[in-house]
Amino acid sequence: MTSVLIIAQSARALAQSAVKAGWQVCAIDQFGDQDTRAAAECAVVADFADTAGVLAAGERLLEKHRSDACIVGGGLECSPALIEAFGRRLPLMGNSAGIYRQMCHPASLCALLERLGIAHPETVLEGPAPSAGWLAKRAGGSGGGHIRILGAGESPGAGYYRQRRVDGISASALFLANGRDARILGYTRHWQAKPQADAGQPYLRSGLTRWREVPSSVALQVANMVGELTEAAGLRGLCGMDFVLDQGGQVVVLEVNPRPPASFELHEGDHSLLEAHRKASAGQLEPPPPAPARMVRSAAVMYTSDPLTIAAGFTWPDWCTDIPAVGTLIGSNRPVCSVTATSTDLETAQAMVQERLLTLRSELWKPTH
């Protein structure tokens, strides 16, 4: 039986997919949610801001549990040296640390996009915004919570860069690559569930919905871009490309994620996508298992407004995932769990998620007296 070590800020989706593939799982993540622990043979919580601590947690796990490979999820984009360190211990199922350095550093990614003639926003590493219409982004950041709007004359700050804002539809493509060729597996629309964590996070990507009705002109642009990026960079395994479809119908690339993106489970049917990920990482680009044909899946993260302690005996609805452990104290503007819904169309699925978010919020913060 294949055994894998999964390292991700939230390992739940990857752990459940690995179990679906018939694999054994050890996981390191930041939350230690109930459903992550249920899927994994062993699960360890680590602070992903402390790379030495994450590496030490991995060493302790590997002393006690056999693993055949390491799967990296979201949260390590700022730490290619950590990926490199785990790659010395285990084969990486996916991309090397070198590819993370190229894809997740704004200067190197922009240089690659420029060389390939792929549309991307104007990006400047240093200096204040000369006018309105610029964003500050953290290098290697993910999820959108790190993005803020810059005022004229305002500097991004240490560890941040500025990028010209592009208005349009925020979306992403999930694709499978073998180092030479790529295959698009699906598209995702990004949206903001209300209420957001707070007004200081205007680009927080709290909602994701499978996007089935993608215009052919968009699909053609994305396929060409993904193909060129894969060939130029040697991308392998499940990857994601975030983009904005601007008002003129042009795809403008924002980021390339050289690892399974958070949206991958929206496109997973009864069979795990991680087997296709494993084969593609080894150079075999075989047809992936079929995606859910007619249904549209949607999910959103629920954030706290006020601090919350998870009470014993609370009954979580079956449409919740990433369920925190009993007794967990969650501070203000922090993720609590994910809420999901499935319908026949995008609008209905998102509306169902929004309604469920409000229902769950009222139950979790219900007065006790």
Side-chain angles (χ1 to χ4, degrees):
M1 177 182 289
T2 299
S3 298
V4 293
L5 173 63
I6 295 173
I7 309 169
Q9 197 162 38
S10 175
R12 190 268 314 161
L14 286 168
Q16 289 180 339
S17 184
V19 170
K20 192 186 296 185
W23 303 349
Q24 289 183 332
V25 176
C26 286
I28 304 172
D29 82 350
Q30 192 152 310
F31 300 104
D33 291 327
Q34 295 183 42
D35 32 6
T36 303
R37 293 185 180 279
E41 179 181 346
C42 52
V44 172
V45 175
D47 180 1
F48 274 52
D50 176 14
T51 56
V54 175
L55 183 59
E59 293 290 349
R60 290 194 298 271
L61 278 179
L62 292 175
E63 287 176 1
K64 298 179 180 179
H65 302 275
R66 178 185 68 85
S67 289
D68 302 310
C70 178
I71 300 177
V72 173
L76 275 72
E77 291 82 358
C78 294
S79 306
L82 184 59
I83 298 171
E84 198 167 52
F86 278 106
R88 288 193 290 267
R89 292 295 313 271
L90 291 170
L92 291 173
M93 193 181 294
N95 289 295
S96 68
I99 290 180
Y100 275 82
R101 288 189 177 96
Q102 183 177 27
M103 295 293 108
C104 299
H105 191 280
S108 59
L109 176 60
C110 286
L112 177 61
L113 295 172
E114 191 73 29
R115 178 165 65 85
L116 297 175
I118 293 176
H120 61 283
E122 183 181 357
T123 301
V124 180
L125 298 185
E126 296 179 349
S131 60
W134 290 86
L135 304 174
K137 294 186 173 184
R138 189 180 73 245
S142 60
H146 60 99
I147 302 172
R148 71 179 193 278
I149 298 170
L150 287 175
E154 183 182 357
S155 294
Y160 285 73
Y161 62 98
R162 61 180 168 90
Q163 190 172 80
R164 180 80 71 176
R165 186 176 67 230
V166 179
D167 294 324
I169 296 172
S170 178
S172 61
L174 173 69
F175 63 96
L176 196 63
N178 69 349
R180 303 175 306 277
D181 304 306
R183 177 178 287 115
I184 305 293
L185 302 185
Y187 298 86
T188 303
R189 289 276 291 268
H190 304 162
W191 56 286
Q192 293 177 312
K194 302 295 181 182
Q196 292 173 231
D198 65 22
Q201 296 176 300
Y203 288 89
L204 184 68
R205 190 187 307 156
S206 54
L208 300 169
T209 305
R210 185 180 173 221
W211 188 14
R212 289 173 49 217
E213 307 300 329
V214 179
S216 58
S217 60
V218 175
L220 180 60
Q221 290 181 71
V222 170
N224 288 337
M225 292 172 173
V226 163
E228 291 174 353
L229 284 165
T230 296
E231 184 176 10
L235 294 168
R236 290 177 178 266
L238 286 169
C239 302
M241 185 180 80
D242 292 352
F243 63 89
V244 171
L245 179 61
D246 72 13
Q247 295 169 348
Q250 182 179 39
V251 171
V252 181
V253 175
L254 301 179
E255 296 177 2
V256 179
N257 294 310
R259 42 81 178 171
S263 61
F264 89 92
E265 66 176 333
L266 300 179
H267 304 275
E268 195 171 62
D270 295 332
H271 301 279
S272 170
L273 282 175
L274 287 187
E275 183 60 35
H277 176 62
R278 182 186 67 81
K279 290 180 178 178
S281 299
Q284 305 171 46
L285 192 61
E286 298 181 359
R294 293 177 297 278
M295 304 306 288
V296 172
R297 295 178 181 175
S298 185
V301 178
M302 190 181 81
Y303 290 83
T304 55
S305 50
D306 301 311
L308 173 70
T309 298
I310 304 302
F314 182 79
T315 301
W316 292 90
D318 58 9
W319 34 260
C320 287
T321 59
D322 305 310
I323 298 170
V326 171
T328 300
L329 173 61
I330 304 172
S332 299
N333 302 324
R334 301 296 300 165
V336 179
C337 67
S338 298
V339 168
T340 64
T342 302
S343 186
T344 56
D345 62 271
L346 183 146
E347 292 78 11
T348 303
Q350 288 185 185
M352 289 173 65
V353 167
Q354 187 66 68
E355 182 179 353
R356 288 174 174 180
L357 284 168
L358 295 173
T359 298
L360 183 61
R361 184 175 297 277
S362 68
E363 289 296 317
L364 283 170
W365 277 273
K366 182 184 292 184
T368 56
H369 56 276

